[in-house]
């Protein structure tokens, strides 16, 4: 999952960003409202975590503008504005959830998982297809009932494919999802992750459509 973190407090931003990355989320960070609006319009984020008291453009205005642009990217407000009216205003502006600072990271993750479940139509934090189970909260993977150890980006790649089992993803889409704006990308990185996942499970768990992209084994989606 690729997350846009919008937070002008660098200390908070660094803490949230590091915690998200440890849970296999790709995080891009901006610190003002104008950059947030432009980034959210121009990039395919899966989730926005949004402060409200931002320089340049208030978070509520960012939310309202995104919804006016028909951008339905789920958004969780993370703000020190804690009154009932503040929460009502945030939700009415288009937020999917509202968490008041100071906050507990585990509660933030619980709310992220709740948004993921609503978005995917899942009832639990476990993605299950065929003999593969991904526990999003525990970041664990079972294949045929046996735990499989995946690296962070291998886990993220498998999760991305399993969330949309009938979709073919191009290499560029997968690179954006796994790396965002970062530059630590090898030319064959996706191929390496796909190879490793196949080796740890079975050779056809991820299908390669030459000249097009990748998708999860269609038999798992039946």
């Amino acid at each position: 999952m690729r997350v846009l973190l919008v937070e002008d407090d660098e200390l908070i931003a660094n803490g949230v960003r590091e915690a998200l990355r440890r849970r296999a989320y790709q995080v891009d960070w901006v610190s003002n409202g104008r950059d947030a609006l432009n980034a959210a319009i121009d990039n395919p984020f899966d989730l926005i975590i949004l402060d409200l008291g931002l320089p340049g453009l208030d978070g509520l205005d960012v939310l309202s503008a995104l919804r006016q642009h028909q951008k339905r990217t789920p958004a969780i407000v993370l703000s020190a504005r804690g009154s009932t009216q503040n929460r009502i205003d945030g939700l009415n502006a288009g937020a999917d959830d509202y968490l008041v600072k100071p906050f507990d990271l585990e509660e933030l993750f619980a709310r992220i998982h709740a948004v993921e479940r609503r978005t995917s139509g899942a009832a639990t934090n476990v993605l299950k297809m065929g003999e593969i189970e991904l526990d999003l909260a525990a970041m664990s993977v079972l294949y045929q009932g046996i735990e499989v150890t995946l690296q962070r980006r291998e886990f993220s790649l498998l999760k991305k494919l399993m969330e949309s089992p009938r979709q073919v993803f191009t290499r560029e889409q997968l690179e954006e999802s796994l790396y965002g704006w970062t530059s630590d990308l090898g030319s064959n990185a996706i191929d390496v992750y796909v190879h490793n996942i196949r080796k740890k499970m079975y050779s056809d768990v991820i299908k390669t459509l030459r000249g097009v992209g990748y998708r999860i084994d269609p038999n798992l989606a039946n």
Side-chain angles (χ1 to χ4, degrees):
M1 172 181 273
R2 187 181 178 191
V3 177
L4 175 62
L5 174 62
V6 188
E7 171 60 65
D8 65 327
D9 186 314
E10 186 173 357
L11 186 63
I12 294 175
N14 286 338
V16 173
R17 184 168 49 172
E18 182 58 30
L20 286 167
R21 286 178 173 171
R22 286 199 301 267
R23 297 286 186 99
Y25 294 94
Q26 171 57 42
V27 187
D28 294 313
W29 171 45
V30 296
S31 58
N32 69 76
R34 295 287 179 191
D35 288 346
L37 182 58
N38 292 332
I41 289 174
D42 294 338
N43 296 272
F45 291 103
D46 300 298
L47 176 69
I48 301 169
I49 298 177
L50 178 67
D51 188 18
L52 295 185
L54 298 167
L57 189 66
D58 189 80
L60 286 180
D61 295 325
V62 173
L63 264 179
S64 297
L66 287 175
R67 299 318 183 212
Q68 289 170 10
H69 278 82
Q70 302 301 310
K71 294 291 287 187
R72 296 185 172 86
T73 309
I76 298 176
V77 167
L78 203 59
S79 175
R81 301 176 189 172
S83 73
T84 299
Q85 189 59 52
N86 290 146
R87 300 183 194 206
I88 291 171
D89 291 342
L91 295 170
N92 285 341
D96 295 84
D97 204 344
Y98 196 112
L99 185 59
V100 177
K101 299 176 182 176
F103 60 93
D104 185 272
L105 280 171
E106 289 305 316
E107 182 178 1
L108 174 60
F109 284 121
R111 290 171 184 258
I112 291 172
H113 293 321
V115 170
E116 288 183 284
R117 291 197 302 271
R118 289 198 297 270
T119 303
S120 66
T124 69
N125 289 332
V126 177
L127 281 176
K128 184 173 182 178
M129 293 182 62
E131 296 180 304
I132 301 175
E133 292 186 23
L134 264 67
D135 188 319
L136 305 182
M139 275 194 65
S140 62
V141 184
L142 297 180
Y143 173 57
Q144 295 182 333
I146 299 173
E147 186 165 2
V148 175
T149 301
L150 297 183
Q151 300 301 316
R152 177 170 62 91
R153 286 192 169 121
E154 293 168 4
F155 183 93
S156 296
L157 175 58
L158 184 60
K159 174 176 176 284
K160 182 75 172 177
L161 296 175
M162 287 179 64
E163 285 175 332
S164 302
R166 290 174 174 80
Q167 182 175 343
V168 177
F169 290 91
T170 66
R171 180 187 300 274
E172 291 74 20
Q173 287 174 318
L174 293 175
E175 288 173 348
E176 278 192 342
S177 178
L178 269 63
Y179 286 89
W181 297 330
T182 62
S183 59
D184 56 338
L185 174 63
S187 60
N188 65 337
I190 299 299
D191 294 330
V192 171
Y193 300 144
V194 169
H195 170 79
N196 290 343
I197 294 169
R198 287 170 174 164
K199 187 175 180 181
K200 294 171 182 179
M201 295 185 183
Y202 65 98
S203 60
D204 285 335
V205 62
I206 297 175
K207 297 284 190 179
T208 301
L209 284 75
R210 296 195 180 279
V212 182
Y214 304 88
R215 65 167 297 183
I216 199 74
D217 179 0
N219 293 322
L220 294 177
N222 296 329

